[in-house]
């Protein structure tokens, strides 16, 4: 069965194109606070672009575009599969 990550994310987040950073942090980076997650994104440790709704305000709402989260999760899955195959070959 082939799963489409984007479709599942649309269902999970009620069709939102931009998912609030706090929600992504809670659901996929629960070991981090949103502040630490932003710091890791800024340092290049987490490869996710952050969308700022109002580019002129530092306090603007921040989120992750659904397609970017889809790409990130699919890439992490492919890396996990490669690691699994290497360890079990």
């Amino acid at each position: 069965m082939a799963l489409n990550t984007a479709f599942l994310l649309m269902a999970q987040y009620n069709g939102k194109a931009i998912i609030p950073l706090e929600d992504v942090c809670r659901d996929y980076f629960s070991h981090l606070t949103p502040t630490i997650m932003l710091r890791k994104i800024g340092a290049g440790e987490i490869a996710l672009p952050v969308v700022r709704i109002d580019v002129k305000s530092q306090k603007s709402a921040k989120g992750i575009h659904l397609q970017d989260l889809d790409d990130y999760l699919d890439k992490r899955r492919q890396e996990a599969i490669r690691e699994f195959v290497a360890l079990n070959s």
Side-chain angles (χ1 to χ4, degrees):
M1 171 172 70
L3 291 177
N4 184 317
T5 306
F7 180 75
L8 296 171
L9 289 170
M10 282 188 277
Q12 180 178 357
Y13 293 109
N14 299 315
K16 291 179 184 174
I18 305 295
I19 306 159
L21 182 70
E22 293 78 15
D23 293 350
V24 173
C25 190
R26 177 195 67 225
D27 295 339
Y28 293 98
F29 298 89
S30 58
H31 60 291
L32 302 176
T33 64
T35 302
I36 292 174
M37 184 177 170
L38 277 175
R39 191 175 310 135
K40 286 181 170 278
I41 289 170
E45 295 175 36
I46 298 173
L48 274 173
V50 175
V51 176
R52 287 174 171 72
I53 302 305
D54 179 2
V55 293
K56 294 182 181 186
S57 172
Q58 288 292 333
K59 295 184 180 185
S60 172
K62 296 170 185 70
I64 306 295
H65 191 279
L66 184 132
Q67 185 63 56
D68 295 330
L69 182 57
D70 168 58
D71 294 342
Y72 179 84
L73 294 174
D74 285 347
K75 183 177 179 186
R76 296 294 302 141
R77 178 174 182 259
Q78 289 304 315
E79 290 171 5
I81 290 170
R82 279 194 296 276
E83 182 179 329
F84 175 80
V85 169
L87 292 172
N88 292 288
S89 294

